Each structure stands twice: as C-alpha cells, then as structure tokens.
Amino acid sequence: MAYNYLSPFTLQAPDGPKLIRHYSTDNVGNTESPKTAAFTLDITPPQAGLLCPGMTGGFCRVYKGTVAVLGSVSDLNFSGYKLEYAAGKDGTVFTTINAGTAAISGALGWWKAPGEGFYTLRLTVTDFAANATVVSAVVYAGEPAML
C-alpha cells in the first residue's frame, strides 16, 4: 500500500520491530529504487517499583542500620537503573546508592542512612529509547517513634 507523505508522520504502538519502505519521485516523474529502514519502536516507559522501603505507608518505611532496598526494574529495551537517596521528605540533592545495567527483581542496593531523620529514596529506570520512569519513597532512619 503506497502513501504520499508530504510532512512528518508519527508511528503508533505496538512497540517492536518496524520496517519502512521508501522512495522518492522528482517533479518530472523519475523514481528512485525503493529502500528500506528497519528499527525498533519503543514508546513504553520502563517498569520501576520500590517494594521495601515501599512507596506506601507502613512498617517498611522505618529503618535503623544497613538495609536492603528491595524492588524491581525491567523493560523490553532495558538500559539501566539508578538508586539514590537525599536528606528530607522533599530531598533535592541526591547521592547514588547503587546503579546497574541488568533488569532485576530483588535487592537493588544496600543503604545506611548517614544519620537519624527523614530521607527520600529515588529509583530511576531508563531504556535505550530514552524513556524513563522515576519512583520515590520517603523513609525514616532511626528508632521507631510516633511520627
């Protein structure tokens, strides 16, 4: 099926391998030989989840000592993940805990808060198409107390 495209077009889902066949015709009717371009369409953001410390409330948000940060990261075209922390409930200056280039479900890294108080954990996952997903959790480091 042939289409005449005079302007840019957008490819639609589903994600996966695509093949475009193209050629051009000049103003006097000369047509070049058809060419093809193969590529992978990826418009789906990666999957990211923090299990413990979790993104919802509960016991799994109060810590003392070194803890495993549990979660999962995945994508069809997975590139990598970065696990970070920042001081405060609305942390802005982040320090890397761990980073990786393999999809994983389990311990994303080991973390020990530098002091007592609230911290923000942030997990960023990217794929090779530059899609990204960011999730975060606020945790308390120290003795359990009425917060």
Side-chain angles (χ1 to χ4, degrees), residues 2 4 13 15 34 43 46-47 50 74 77 81 86 99 104 110 112 118 130 143-144:
N4 291 323
D15 288 356
I43 57 174
Q47 298 293 313
L50 287 171
S74 65
N77 298 300
Y81 74 91
I104 187 172
W110 293 86
K112 181 176 183 180
F118 284 98
E143 297 293 336

Side-chain angles (χ1 to χ4, degrees), residues 48-50 72-73 81-83 108 121-125 133-135:
L50 287 171
S72 62
V73 295
Y81 74 91
K82 182 166 50 170
L83 178 63
L108 300 173
L121 296 178
R122 179 171 72 182
L123 175 61
T124 304
V125 184
T133 300
V134 179
V135 296

Side-chain angles (χ1 to χ4, degrees), residues 13-131:
D15 288 356
K18 304 291 181 190
L19 182 67
I20 292 180
R21 184 173 178 249
H22 58 94
Y23 64 91
S24 56
T25 304
D26 65 20
N27 291 336
V28 293
N30 298 312
T31 301
E32 70 177 330
S33 298
K35 296 175 179 62
T36 59
F39 60 94
T40 300
L41 178 66
D42 182 354
I43 57 174
T44 303
Q47 298 293 313
L50 287 171
L51 177 61
C52 193
M55 295 180 291
T56 59
F59 176 74
C60 214
R61 292 177 66 180
V62 178
Y63 288 95
K64 184 175 182 183
T66 302
V67 295
V69 180
L70 304 177
S72 62
V73 295
S74 65
D75 188 77
L76 181 63
N77 298 300
F78 185 82
S79 174
Y81 74 91
K82 182 166 50 170
L83 178 63
E84 304 167 288
Y85 78 93
K89 291 182 179 180
D90 296 312
T92 57
V93 179
F94 285 86
T95 301
T96 300
I97 298 169
N98 194 28
T101 57
I104 187 172
S105 181
L108 300 173
W110 293 86
W111 175 63
K112 181 176 183 180
E116 189 169 314
F118 284 98
Y119 291 87
T120 301
L121 296 178
R122 179 171 72 182
L123 175 61
T124 304
V125 184
T126 56
D127 66 17
F128 286 115
N131 298 311

